Amino acid sequence: MAIDMEAMLAKIQDRQWALADIDWEAPGAETIRPEFRPKLKAFMTDLCWIENIGARGFAALAKKAPDPTIAEIYRYFHAEEQRHANAELALMKRWGMLEEGEVPKPNVNIRLAIEWLDAYSDDMPLSVLGTVIPMLEVALDGALLKFLLDSVQDPVCHQVFEKINNDESRHIAVDFEVLEMIGNASARRLAIEFVGRLATPGLILGALMYVPLLNRIRNEMAGMGMDAERLYNAVKRFQQLGERGERTPRVPAYKLLRRHGGWVVNPRHPYQLLANSMVWLSDFYPKALLRPMPAWSKELTHNPAA
């Protein structure tokens, strides 16, 4: 059944929340084990920057939305992803992982993703960006966030991520509804748009950024103890949600990311040699070639009033 986007927009507007709604001084911060803190800080740093990337993605999607209502929904999603990133920073501050005003630095793969988004995301067609964003959201919702909640007993963390998960569930519902709309185009139009973009610098550079970014995150999560089955189930959910629609499987970008997701979660696939080599090489990327961080990436704050 198609989603009533006007009703969805009203629900989104009604379910807004703020960092100030959370009691950041409540008991529970002491439940974080000292030996777990370094890995948890690295995990949370990646998570908050991925949310920041998601915010920029939704800002780009708002410019190419199929109608004004969906554009407004995307603008709310942009703000919500930014709020998620700030809430995750506030948790890090609560756990004593950040100094006053400190914002943790993104790893090189996230820096490159930020550069790519700043340079190319506004020019990406809806069918490409509208497929990548739900893939990242399903992975976050289905694997990373659930793994975090299984690993951390702090009740404030669970309160925060209950709100984040509720937001993400609405994001995913809209994401796949829009993919279904995209799939309504003729096969010829979908193929021309996809093939026409396949050899563009933006998409080539996007693939070179996307492959090591996913594998670095996958490897870091495995290092924290996340089992491969959890990530496999998240990717399988992306496939299942897409195949609920009649027309989503017709979208070439969906077909490609569905196949790629299977490679990412299979530790025995030859793809891992390529992807992990790209992760290794990215560590040698010359810092002098990294561009200054764009203004939109500097909105992170752990201030509860945000």
Side-chain angles (χ1 to χ4, degrees):
M1 181 185 295
I3 294 175
D4 181 336
M5 290 297 182
E6 293 286 351
M8 175 61 79
L9 177 57
K11 180 185 286 188
I12 292 164
Q13 291 168 331
D14 185 56
R15 305 289 168 85
Q16 292 300 296
W17 56 280
L19 269 66
D21 298 336
I22 308 294
D23 181 3
W24 298 102
E25 303 301 323
E30 71 284 351
T31 61
I32 307 298
R33 304 186 311 275
E35 67 275 12
F36 188 54
R37 285 174 179 271
K39 288 184 177 180
L40 182 58
K41 181 176 180 179
F43 179 101
M44 295 295 289
T45 297
D46 285 350
L47 193 56
C48 79
W49 279 108
I50 291 168
E51 304 273 22
N52 195 259
I53 286 171
R56 182 61 180 85
F58 279 121
L61 282 171
K63 298 176 181 178
K64 54 189 98 262
D67 61 57
T69 301
I70 295 175
E72 184 66 6
I73 288 173
Y74 282 147
R75 283 189 281 271
Y76 270 95
F77 287 176
H78 172 204
E80 288 177 349
E81 292 289 341
Q82 189 66 59
R83 187 181 307 126
H84 298 170
N86 290 340
E88 287 150 13
L89 276 186
L91 282 170
M92 293 174 74
K93 180 69 165 58
R94 166 180 166 81
W95 295 332
M97 297 174 179
L98 300 176
E99 299 296 330
E100 188 62 40
E102 178 189 355
V103 173
K105 293 181 179 179
N107 65 50
V108 64
N109 298 109
I110 289 176
R111 279 290 298 273
L112 293 171
I114 288 170
E115 286 189 9
W116 182 87
L117 280 165
D118 199 51
Y120 297 106
S121 63
D122 289 340
D123 296 326
M124 283 294 109
L126 180 64
S127 60
V128 172
L129 206 56
T131 307
V132 172
I133 295 296
M135 179 62 173
L136 291 175
E137 294 230 273
V138 169
L140 275 174
D141 186 58
L144 303 190
L145 300 189
K146 288 183 174 63
F147 172 72
L148 178 66
L149 294 179
D150 288 346
S151 305
V152 175
Q153 283 70 52
D154 182 358
V156 172
C157 178
H158 285 252
Q159 182 185 1
V160 168
F161 279 101
E162 180 180 3
K163 293 179 180 295
I164 290 175
N165 276 327
N166 288 338
D167 290 344
E168 295 289 356
S169 68
R170 290 186 286 274
H171 294 192
I172 290 168
V174 172
D175 289 340
F176 281 94
E177 182 66 19
V178 172
L179 268 176
E180 186 71 3
M181 293 178 186
I182 293 167
N184 274 316
S186 69
R188 181 173 179 273
R189 179 181 169 187
L190 287 168
I192 289 172
E193 182 180 75
F194 184 71
V195 173
R197 288 285 179 175
L198 204 57
T200 61
L203 207 56
I204 292 169
L205 289 172
L208 291 174
M209 169 275 298
Y210 183 74
V211 167
L213 174 65
L214 281 192
N215 256 60
R216 182 180 290 276
I217 293 169
R218 171 194 175 279
N219 294 345
E220 287 178 355
M221 297 311 97
M224 283 187 67
M226 185 172 79
D227 59 274
E229 186 71 15
R230 189 187 296 269
L231 196 56
Y232 170 80
N233 288 336
V235 171
K236 187 176 179 182
R237 185 172 176 236
F238 175 75
Q239 177 180 343
Q240 290 170 336
L241 289 171
E243 291 179 354
R244 284 181 188 175
E246 288 183 28
R247 299 191 175 272
T248 297
R250 299 176 65 244
V251 179
Y254 168 78
K255 292 180 182 178
L256 182 62
L257 286 189
R258 181 183 61 189
R259 175 67 60 86
H260 176 251
W263 299 345
V264 171
V265 299
N266 182 355
R268 299 180 186 85
H269 196 283
Y271 164 84
Q272 296 297 335
L273 182 60
L274 169 66
N276 285 326
S277 296
M278 292 175 73
V279 173
W280 179 80
L281 284 171
S282 65
D283 287 331
F284 297 94
Y285 190 86
K287 290 184 171 57
L289 295 182
L290 291 170
R291 300 174 190 168
M293 297 279 280
W296 59 264
S297 71
K298 298 178 182 179
E299 298 175 359
L300 292 174
T301 174
H302 53 66
N303 184 351

